[in-house]
C-alpha cells in the first residue's frame, strides 16, 4: 500500500482464496478497469460488481475515483472479493478518516478461509469411502 510516484495513483493489494488483486485508484469519473477490460465485461454477474463497489458505497465516494486492477488466480467470486479489499486499502491512503466506516463493514479484514486439501485414502477433504462392517 503506497503511492505511485510517477502517476500519483494510490496502490492497494487484496487477496482472497488464491486470487491476488493489485489495485490502483486515482481521482476520476468512476471508471473501473479489470485486466484491461471494462468491469461489466469481466464480471457479468451483478453480485460481483456490487461486491467491488461496496467500499465506494460505504464511504460515499461512488464515481469519484477511476480504478485500474490487475487480478490473477482463483475464480470470479474470489477475484471480486480480492478487488474489494484492495480498493478499501487504497481508499485508506486517500483519507485515513474512512477507516472507521470501512472497518465497521468488515472491508479491511482479509478473509483467510481457503479450500481444505484432499486427504489420502479418502475421496475428499472430509468425506470418507462407505464403511462396511461385514
Amino acid at each position: 500500500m503506497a503511492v505511485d510516484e510517477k502517476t500519483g495513483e494510490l496502490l492497494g493489494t487484496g487477496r482472497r482464496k488464491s486470487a491476488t488483486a493489485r489495485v490502483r485508484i486515482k481521482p476520476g469519473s468512476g471508471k473501473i478497469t479489470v485486466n484491461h477490460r471494462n468491469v461489466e465485461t469481466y464480471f457479468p454477474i451483478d453480485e460481483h460488481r456490487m461486491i467491488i463497489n461496496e467500499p465506494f458505497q460505504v464511504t460515499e465516494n461512488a464515481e469519484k475515483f477511476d480504478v485500474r486492477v490487475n487480478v490473477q488466480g482463483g475464480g470470479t467470486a474470489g477475484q471480486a472479493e480480492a478487488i474489494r479489499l484492495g480498493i478499501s486499502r487504497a481508499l485508506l491512503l486517500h483519507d485515513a478518516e474512512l477507516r472507521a466506516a470501512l472497518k465497521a463493514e468488515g472491508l479491511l479484514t482479509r478473509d483467510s478461509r481457503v479450500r481444505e486439501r484432499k486427504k489420502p485414502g479418502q475421496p475428499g477433504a472430509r468425506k470418507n469411502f462407505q464403511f462396511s462392517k461385514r
Side-chain angles (χ1 to χ4, degrees), residues 26 49 54 59 81 86 91 94 107 126:
K26 66 179 178 181
R49 291 196 301 269
E54 194 173 355
T59 60
E81 293 183 29
L91 282 173
H94 170 69
L107 298 176
R126 303 279 176 102

Side-chain angles (χ1 to χ4, degrees), residues 78-89:
Q79 287 184 351
E81 293 183 29
I83 292 170
R84 176 176 67 180
L85 179 59
I87 290 173
S88 299
R89 288 178 171 176

